Amino acid sequence: MAASAAMLAGASGTVVSGVLIDSLDWRYIFVFAAAVAVLAALCALRLPRSTCADREVRVDWPGAVLFAPAIALVLRPC
């Protein structure tokens, strides 16, 4: 579901930005993005609250600390 939303956003982004540049100005791309962000925030506020019981979540501190160095070592060129 998230992959299809990302593909749709990528494909429609070039079309919408092209229309905005042709009809208005390139600065209106940022105005349009701000309007979409406000609309998304308003939609997120209307979502129902979670009904799951609150449970204590433990943080994996060694995993959190070692994650970035592990990714850096994997991506490091030989």
Side-chain angles (χ1 to χ4, degrees), residues 3-66:
S4 62
M7 285 177 34
L8 179 65
S12 63
T14 55
V15 174
V16 170
S17 62
V19 169
L20 286 173
I21 289 173
D22 286 343
S23 60
L24 298 170
D25 191 23
W26 64 269
R27 293 174 183 89
Y28 282 94
I29 293 174
F30 300 103
V31 174
F32 183 77
V36 170
V38 168
L39 179 66
L42 291 175
C43 289
L45 288 175
R46 293 193 39 89
L47 288 174
R49 299 278 181 223
S50 176
T51 58
C52 296
D54 289 334
R55 57 183 172 195
E56 187 175 333
V57 178
R58 295 179 50 195
V59 177
D60 178 23
W61 289 109
V65 170
L66 295 175

